[in-house]
């Protein structure tokens, strides 16, 4: 990829359109741009999570999640340039292996948990929910313009990984999971 940003503003988007990597111009609310935006939001929040993990010395979790920022950037590239393919099955399998290792340590869930307990646990859940949002946007795009490659599988697996990562972060911090307490049933 030889593209470099030499100028940050171009004024070409002032009328509500933006350019794709293949030269097409689309409205800024096009499903492809919505998907790119959701992936970008997730990547930004993941960066915030990684910064927090570094501050707390949770290198084991960072080592698993840090490559995900790069792969999300790859996914954004695939969305911006429909003929470009960057993600591969090995990366999906890497996520699955990490999920399996952490999930085995945590054991099965017996109750629903809330995205709470510590700032890092909550941030991991913010990332998880943004991954689900990005997945929905990608699925909406896929219904209009079928997506090639492994982007849908990757983003789905990443949301699963982030859920298990939130649990592992809590364990590493010695923070108990906050269990959902259902409302009392109405009498009547």
């Amino acid at each position: 990829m030889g593209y470099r940003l030499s100028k940050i503003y171009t004024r070409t988007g002032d009328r509500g359109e933006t350019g794709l990597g293949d030269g097409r111009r689309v409205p800024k609310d096009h499903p492809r741009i919505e998907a790119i935006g959701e992936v970008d939001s997730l990547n930004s929040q993941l960066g915030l999570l990684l910064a927090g993990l570094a501050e707390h010395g949770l290198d084991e979790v960072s080592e698993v999640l840090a490559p995900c920022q790069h792969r999300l950037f790859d996914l954004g590239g695939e969305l911006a340039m429909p003929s470009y393919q960057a993600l591969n099955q090995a990366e999906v399998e890497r996520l699955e292996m990490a999920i399996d290792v952490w999930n085995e340590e945590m054991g099965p869930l017996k109750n629903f948990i809330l995205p709470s307990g510590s700032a890092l646990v909550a941030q991991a859940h913010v990332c998880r929910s943004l991954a689900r949002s990005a997945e929905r946007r990608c699925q909406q795009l896929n219904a209009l313009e079928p997506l090639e490659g492994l982007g849908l599988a990757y983003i789905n697996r990443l949301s699963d990984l982030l859920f298990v990562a939130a649990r592992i972060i809590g364990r590493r911090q010695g923070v108990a999971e906050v269990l959902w307490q259902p409302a009392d049933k109405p009498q009547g």
Side-chain angles (χ1 to χ4, degrees):
M1 291 184 24
Y3 297 102
R4 298 288 181 255
L5 293 176
S6 58
K7 190 172 184 181
I8 300 302
Y9 65 89
T10 62
R11 297 189 178 121
T12 60
D14 292 351
R15 295 183 187 218
E17 288 188 343
T18 192
L20 296 176
D22 62 5
R24 285 187 296 156
R25 306 259 333 144
V26 296
K28 288 187 177 185
D29 62 353
H30 186 279
R32 187 169 294 278
I33 303 307
E34 290 287 342
I36 292 168
E38 288 295 323
V39 169
D40 186 41
S41 294
L42 168 57
N43 207 343
S44 297
Q45 289 292 332
L46 183 55
L48 187 59
L49 175 60
L50 288 166
L53 292 171
E55 289 172 6
H56 288 86
L58 294 171
D59 296 337
E60 167 206 359
V61 181
S62 290
E63 288 172 7
V64 173
L65 296 180
C68 298
Q69 275 205 295
H70 298 276
R71 299 303 69 84
L72 286 170
F73 205 86
D74 288 338
L75 177 55
E78 288 187 6
L79 293 168
M81 299 174 286
S83 63
Y84 176 67
Q85 298 296 303
L87 296 171
N88 61 52
Q89 186 62 36
E91 186 60 24
V92 174
E93 291 169 3
R94 185 187 76 82
L95 299 184
E96 291 172 348
M97 286 190 302
I99 291 166
D100 292 344
V101 167
W102 285 345
N103 208 38
E104 185 175 325
E105 178 182 335
M106 292 304 301
L109 271 174
K110 296 180 181 166
N111 295 297
F112 290 108
I113 59 173
L114 299 180
S116 187
S118 76
L120 282 178
V121 170
Q123 182 63 30
H125 281 289
V126 167
C127 292
R128 173 196 50 78
S129 65
L130 284 172
R132 289 290 187 211
S133 180
E135 180 183 14
R136 288 190 302 273
R137 291 288 187 249
C138 288
Q139 287 290 357
Q140 288 172 338
L141 173 60
N142 187 54
L144 295 173
E145 300 175 17
L147 298 175
E148 301 293 326
L150 297 167
L152 293 172
Y154 182 81
I155 198 80
N156 179 273
R157 222 63 89 248
L158 180 57
S159 64
D160 295 335
L161 175 66
L162 289 163
F163 177 79
V164 179
R167 296 187 72 206
I168 281 292
I169 291 166
R171 174 163 284 187
R172 298 294 184 266
Q173 289 186 306
V175 175
E177 292 180 320
V178 179
L179 303 178
W180 168 62
Q181 298 175 6
D184 293 334
K185 294 187 180 184
Q187 295 185 10

